[in-house]
Amino acid sequence: MKIDVLTLFPEMFSGVFGHSILHKAAEKAAVRYNVVNFREYADNKHQTVDDYPYGGGAGMVLKPQPLFDAVAALKEQAESNTTRVILLCPQGKRYNQKIAEELAKEEHLIFVCGHYEGYDERIREHVVSDEISIGDYVLTGGELGAMVVIDSVVRLLPEVLGNEESHMKDSFSTGLLEHPHYTRPSDFRGMKVPEVLLQGNHRLIEEWRNKEALRRTFLRRPDLLEKIELNKDQAKWLNEIKKEYE
């Protein structure tokens, strides 16, 4: 996968791409990062990328020309015939694991990180393929949102995680929140690990994990249960869990 990032603050990405899973993914050649200051594409000697909004109002608006030209240049350099151009924006579609899994199948992603009051609307209409919001709040710019999306996508690429099953059982990947985890010691200051996890019966362990995933989802995010179809065992377990809290 090739990931291009268009930003006015490229230095913000050096630490993110240089450490942990994102760095390991690049070392394994699963992904290539390219961070570009789109000010370099401005067609004026002062490299101005923003201007006052027509009709008046507070703040400045990003001009169309630098981003139109930057995206066109990156597409021309790409080896892929298909490119998703993603605008980080509070008005975009609410980001979730399903979108992350969809984006992980792409060969080329371009992230547009804006600043100031907003974007010239022609950027949305003619350059961007996707508008994504990571939540109902406003950040100073799109960089942090892009980092969140990129991290969640790259970890899904083949061979990036040490255990290929890791992301398959993550919270939201199954539609449920993930079950609790425990490690050594089995008894920490009187707080003990559930006995079933110590007995080595993998069938019972898997059943316990499925039940606890349901319990955690029911208690913390019951709205998620409305969006998935439970199998016969899950429906039975959920009824048992509900009775515990009546």
Side-chain angles (χ1 to χ4, degrees):
M1 174 183 282
K2 172 73 181 302
I3 293 180
D4 291 304
V5 180
L6 289 170
T7 172
L8 295 175
F9 302 95
E11 61 277 4
M12 290 181 66
F13 289 86
S14 58
V16 175
F17 290 162
H19 295 87
S20 191
I21 294 297
L22 294 185
H23 177 63
K24 291 178 181 178
E27 285 187 326
K28 293 179 179 179
V31 63
R32 289 179 293 134
Y33 307 115
N34 178 41
V35 184
V36 178
N37 188 334
F38 62 84
R39 193 180 296 279
E40 298 172 5
Y41 287 88
D43 62 359
N44 59 85
K45 66 178 182 179
H46 298 297
Q47 292 189 310
T48 303
V49 296
D50 62 317
D51 209 333
Y52 295 101
Y54 279 120
M60 305 291 280
V61 176
L62 285 172
K63 299 167 65 175
Q65 178 274 317
L67 285 170
F68 266 71
D69 289 355
V71 169
L74 293 176
K75 283 185 174 182
E76 190 174 334
Q77 298 166 14
E79 300 173 359
S80 173
N81 293 323
T82 58
T83 298
R84 298 275 288 269
V85 181
I86 301 165
L87 184 72
L88 282 305
C89 172
Q91 301 174 30
K93 186 175 182 180
R94 178 79 72 87
Y95 191 60
N96 58 32
Q97 187 69 16
K98 184 177 180 180
I99 297 175
E101 292 169 357
E102 178 187 324
L103 294 177
K105 298 175 183 177
E106 300 291 337
E107 295 181 2
H108 185 210
L109 302 176
I110 299 176
F111 290 86
V112 179
C113 307
H115 265 71
Y116 310 116
E117 184 63 24
Y119 307 89
D120 185 289
E121 190 64 18
R122 289 164 290 190
I123 296 171
R124 300 179 190 273
E125 294 175 345
H126 301 286
V127 175
V128 171
S129 60
D130 302 83
E131 293 185 47
I132 287 178
S133 167
I134 63 168
D136 295 339
Y137 48 88
V138 179
L139 298 170
T140 304
E143 285 78 12
L144 294 176
M147 293 174 194
V148 168
V149 176
I150 291 170
D151 183 280
S152 64
V153 169
V154 169
R155 68 188 304 279
L156 297 176
L157 299 178
E159 300 182 4
V160 169
L161 296 180
N163 184 340
E164 286 300 302
E165 293 187 2
S166 293
H167 68 78
M168 296 174 65
K169 295 186 178 180
D170 283 343
S171 292
F172 306 111
S173 291
T174 62
L176 302 173
L177 299 184
E178 195 173 10
H179 59 78
H181 293 276
Y182 295 90
T183 188
R184 294 175 178 81
S186 60
D187 186 336
F188 176 68
R189 300 178 182 176
M191 296 174 282
K192 297 181 179 181
V193 172
E195 189 65 29
V196 65
L197 300 179
L198 307 176
Q199 295 174 348
N201 187 319
H202 295 293
R203 183 186 64 80
L204 292 180
I205 289 173
E206 190 64 22
E207 182 177 304
W208 178 88
R209 287 174 172 170
N210 287 329
K211 287 181 179 179
E212 291 308 308
L214 274 169
R215 184 190 307 278
R216 180 154 288 184
T217 306
F218 170 69
L219 293 175
R220 301 187 181 190
R221 289 291 305 276
D223 57 296
L224 295 176
L225 295 173
E226 300 173 3
K227 303 175 184 178
I228 63 173
E229 184 176 346
L230 301 178
N231 61 37
K232 185 178 180 181
D233 287 335
Q234 288 175 320
K236 181 187 73 171
W237 296 333
L238 182 58
N239 284 331
E240 293 172 356
I241 290 168
K242 287 179 177 179
K243 289 179 181 177
E244 292 179 27
Y245 296 93
E246 287 179 351

